[in-house]
Amino acid sequence: MNVHDRMRKELQKGHIFQKALAHALEYLEELPDREVFPSSAHLTLLNEFDEELPEDGGSGEAILEKLHEYGSPNTVAQGGGRYYGFVNGGIVPAALAARILTDFWDQNAGLYLTSPIASKLEEVTERWMVELLGLPKGSVMGLVTGTTTATMLGIASARYDILRRQGWDVNSKGLFGAPAIRVVISEGAHSSVIRALIFLGLGSDNIELVPADSQGRLDPTRLPPLDSNTLLILQAGNVNTGAFDDFQNLCDTANRAGAWVHIDGAFGLWGAASSRKHLTAGIEKADSWSVDGHKTLNTPYDLGIVLCRNQGSLVSALETSGAYLHLGEKRDGMRLVAEMSRRARSIDLWSTLRFLGRRGVAELVDELCNLAEYMASLLTENGFEVLNEVVFNQVLFISDTEESTRQLLERVQQSGKLWFGSTVWKAKYAIRVSVCSWYTNREDIERSVEVIKALR
Ligand SMILES: *Cc1c(COP(=O)(O)O)cnc(C)c1O
């Protein structure tokens, strides 16, 4: 049978999809009790994938069997309640279900003409996002893979606009011989910000680095004088401490100078939609923002969001012509991002927000923060030192010595019962906890602290 007939046959019978769903549901059922990181016995199963590309492929059913048998045990159980690594969110069930349905649609979200539904939901979620985060009316949104790319687009808009104001069209002339752009960021900025600056030709050596305070917030007393050639990048949610910059004052200073402000709010920008919105006060005075769906909001991967106050800055930065451009009547999502073809992330965002509602978003964010505080208080009670002020969902802690902290982390990671990562904070090796899955509850926190005590 030729490959086209093989594919048609699988599509007609449809049972491989039922098989996929059956495996998926089995995985889901076992998720809460799965080892959080694969054991070494499971990891050796990955060798099963070391095969030559076969001359003749296999059936869809055999492929699913192989994935389920050797792949499922080698996943990281980050939706299971006791995964606290990096800042990795869980997944809202309604959004996962919507994802399954809409994967069958196989949409290209580049243009209105390639997917009216993706285009419509991008329009709707843009309005919802702006309202939910309290951003200026008329701000536009682009959907990308993650905050790294979203930040890159925010910086691209800034670069375009700062140079345009000086009569320099960066799209046609490039950066060679262009007026200098000053880039001011805090010592506490995320590494992805520096990557984005590098990609855009602004260079890491040109950065004016402002010292940060004990929590990783930009120290306003050390801010250099700003001017209209300056891009100031602030942060909502430091990846170690969860701390937020002082947006009110910093944005006022930047606005008076005519500087462009971008806020990296990968996980923290959602604070604006919660009862902790005092942390994000003043974000509406910035010019662009980047935030993830797949962290705090628990959307499926991969979903990054760039928002820009001025439609013309973002759209023009991404065009080949240097004209100051506006969008047409029908929304072509590709004009707000760097890609042409891409999957329909607007559906993931829409289904998540539509399920949670305004109140649900607030409850979700609040609970992550409350649980982080709970974790910190139990750790302190049990004689560990918490290094940060826990204002959001991040907790840093250490054991008695660096050696015992390292040992503890290693044992925890091998236990399969929970998972933390490490970081270096103010020259101290520390364990970093991120409470980022909606599925985590108080019992998970208590069980986790019991395991830590036993492994100490
Ligand atoms: C995670 C994170 C990023 C990068 O986001 P991705 O979605 O992984 O690209 C940027 N900034 C901060 C503060 C983060 O926590």
Side-chain angles (χ1 to χ4, degrees):
M1 212 189 307
N2 70 32
V3 76
H4 296 88
D5 288 338
R6 282 170 53 207
M7 287 194 279
R8 254 180 219 107
K9 192 169 139 228
E10 298 210 308
L11 204 55
Q12 272 161 12
K13 287 203 295 188
H15 77 259
I16 55 167
F17 303 112
Q18 274 144 15
K19 191 109 203 168
L21 202 55
H23 287 328
L25 293 175
E26 189 185 312
Y27 182 85
L28 197 62
E29 200 175 321
E30 291 169 0
L31 187 56
D33 302 311
R34 284 197 100 83
E35 51 191 17
V36 182
F37 191 89
S39 62
S40 48
H42 280 145
L43 289 170
T44 57
L45 295 177
L46 289 172
N47 298 337
E48 293 292 329
F49 294 99
D50 286 327
E51 55 181 0
E52 296 306 315
L53 177 64
E55 200 52 42
D56 292 306
S59 69
E61 190 169 343
I63 285 166
L64 288 173
E65 288 301 337
K66 180 147 189 159
L67 273 177
H68 192 48
E69 189 171 351
Y70 306 114
S72 296
N74 281 305
T75 54
V76 169
Q78 66 179 38
R82 287 183 310 287
Y83 180 82
Y84 310 99
F86 303 93
V87 191
N88 286 0
I91 189 164
V92 168
L96 173 56
R99 175 78 180 262
I100 294 170
L101 167 63
T102 58
D103 272 352
F104 278 71
W105 294 353
D106 190 23
Q107 297 293 281
N108 179 348
L111 302 168
Y112 171 82
L113 282 177
T114 55
S115 184
I117 177 64
S119 165
K120 181 66 190 176
L121 293 184
E122 207 173 293
E123 213 174 276
V124 172
T125 47
E126 177 179 84
R127 183 165 50 79
W128 287 0
M129 284 294 295
V130 168
E131 286 170 9
L132 200 54
L133 298 176
L135 301 181
K137 233 183 148 120
S139 297
V140 289
M141 175 184 87
L143 297 179
V144 293
T145 49
T147 290
T148 305
T149 313
T151 298
M152 199 165 85
L153 296 187
I155 296 172
S157 309
R159 186 182 70 165
Y160 177 85
D161 220 63
I162 289 171
L163 292 176
R164 183 190 64 89
R165 292 192 301 237
Q166 300 191 61
W168 186 273
D169 174 11
V170 69
N171 291 6
S172 57
K173 294 185 177 152
L175 285 175
F176 301 107
I181 297 176
R182 290 177 57 209
V183 178
V184 176
I185 70 174
S186 147
E187 223 172 47
H190 193 265
S191 59
S192 62
V193 170
I194 295 162
R195 284 181 84 195
L197 289 166
I198 291 170
F199 297 155
L200 288 164
L202 296 175
S204 57
D205 285 355
N206 300 321
I207 295 170
E208 296 176 44
L209 206 58
V210 188
D213 69 8
S214 67
Q215 301 301 308
R217 290 175 294 233
L218 185 150
D219 179 354
T221 66
R222 310 288 295 274
L223 188 72
L226 307 177
D227 57 35
S228 60
N229 297 341
T230 310
L231 161 61
L232 171 66
I233 302 180
L234 302 178
Q235 180 168 253
N238 177 287
V239 75
N240 286 312
T241 62
F244 292 67
D245 286 335
D246 176 1
F247 305 113
Q248 291 286 21
N249 289 318
L250 291 167
C251 288
D252 282 345
T253 305
N255 288 343
R256 274 195 300 273
W260 181 290
V261 181
H262 177 83
I263 298 177
D264 168 12
F267 62 93
L269 209 67
W270 294 105
S274 77
S275 63
R276 296 186 187 230
K277 52 172 164 280
H278 57 277
L279 294 168
T280 57
I283 59 167
E284 72 283 357
K285 298 175 189 171
D287 298 281
S288 56
W289 307 263
S290 43
V291 56
D292 270 322
H294 54 231
K295 289 180 178 173
T296 315
L297 191 65
N298 283 226
T299 68
Y301 284 99
D302 40 22
L303 179 51
I305 303 163
V306 60
L307 293 136
C308 187
R309 168 192 294 273
N310 183 359
Q311 174 182 292
S313 309
L314 177 59
V315 173
S316 305
L318 299 168
E319 290 286 339
T320 45
S321 126
Y324 214 57
L325 291 156
H326 285 271
L327 290 174
E329 205 171 297
K330 298 289 187 206
R331 186 190 182 94
D332 290 331
M334 64 165 268
R335 299 195 52 200
L336 295 141
V337 294
E339 304 95 333
M340 285 191 160
S341 304
R342 63 194 174 126
R343 59 180 207 84
R345 299 188 176 90
S346 62
I347 305 175
D348 298 333
L349 183 58
W350 175 82
S351 52
T352 305
L353 291 175
R354 183 67 180 73
F355 173 81
L356 293 170
R358 197 183 267 277
R359 198 206 317 261
V361 173
E363 282 177 23
L364 172 66
V365 179
D366 286 345
E367 185 64 4
L368 298 176
C369 302
N370 293 341
L371 290 174
E373 279 175 356
Y374 186 46
M375 171 79 92
S377 70
L378 290 183
L379 287 169
T380 310
E381 265 172 41
N382 285 286
F384 294 96
E385 185 186 347
V386 171
L387 298 180
N388 64 316
E389 292 164 20
V390 180
V391 295
F392 210 63
N393 66 328
Q394 305 290 105
V395 182
L396 297 176
F397 77 96
I398 52 173
S399 188
D400 313 309
T401 62
E402 171 162 345
E403 189 47 36
S404 63
T405 306
R406 281 184 191 276
Q407 261 175 19
L408 173 63
L409 183 71
E410 201 171 305
R411 289 183 197 138
V412 163
Q413 290 185 341
Q414 283 170 4
S415 74
K417 294 183 173 137
L418 69 152
W419 204 91
F420 294 136
S422 66
T423 189
V424 176
W425 178 246
K426 302 278 177 194
K428 255 196 187 132
Y429 179 87
I431 296 177
R432 183 171 67 192
V433 184
S434 178
V435 185
C436 208
S437 169
W438 70 268
Y439 196 83
T440 301
N441 61 18
R442 286 176 75 88
E443 200 189 315
D444 287 311
I445 301 289
E446 286 157 11
R447 274 175 67 187
S448 299
V449 174
E450 286 308 314
V451 173
I452 299 165
K453 275 162 61 184
L455 294 177
R456 192 175 195 175

